Amino acid sequence: MLLTPEDKDAPTRVRRLRRLGLGERAEPAFDAFADRLAEVAAVPYSMVNFIDEKRQFFAGLHTPGGAGSGARLITAATADGGTRGFGRHLTRDYGFCPHVVVRRKALVLEDVCDYPRFAGNPVVDEIGIRSYLGAPLIDRTGIALGTVCVVDVEPRPWGRAGLETIKSMASELVAQLERREAHGP
């Protein structure tokens, strides 16, 4: 089964991201947005994620303990008893955000293990993600630049309220990006 969807819009998205100066570096404003998103959703992890042809970049990141400004995203145990940090980059094969960008609509996974297409994703086995809620960042040109998302290590009933919250937060961030484009950073 194809875990990562084909993304025909990636080259156009990459050009748009570069024009906007997004997807290359972490920014305090995006970390603050991720912190607020985590607080609103009461989750341990949240991200502002921009996606190119090969990878995802968490320009905004919240992890337990306020590690939004830190280098580690989620730490997973390795076979030798050590740990592995994924930092602010993930390949497109990891996670659920690439699906949101290609679908161009929100994705609600209360328990990823209930969905065969998503249960086999590396973030489930390697990181322990059990629930996901994400919405696309569709800008004024119609391009899905990335996502805002929240994840938990426990199954989570997001419900209609969770879906409306993530969509509202995505719209808020898109408005900020449009203001930034119009007036500069």
Side-chain angles (χ1 to χ4, degrees), residues 63-149:
T63 61
S69 60
R72 291 179 118 40
L73 165 59
I74 300 169
T75 302
T78 60
D80 64 4
T83 59
R84 175 175 158 191
F86 290 94
R88 287 190 183 255
H89 297 90
L90 283 179
T91 176
R92 284 189 70 252
D93 296 336
Y94 278 61
F96 313 105
C97 291
H99 295 271
V100 172
V101 167
V102 170
R103 291 167 32 115
R104 300 174 54 81
K105 60 184 183 178
L107 178 62
V108 179
L109 301 171
E110 293 182 349
D111 186 342
V112 297
C113 294
D114 290 342
Y115 303 89
R117 177 176 193 156
F118 299 112
N121 194 286
V123 298
V124 176
D125 295 334
E126 294 181 31
I127 301 173
I129 298 304
R130 287 295 302 273
S131 59
Y132 171 90
L133 180 62
L137 298 169
I138 301 175
D139 79 349
R140 66 173 179 74
T141 68
I143 296 172
L145 301 172
T147 66
V148 292
C149 70

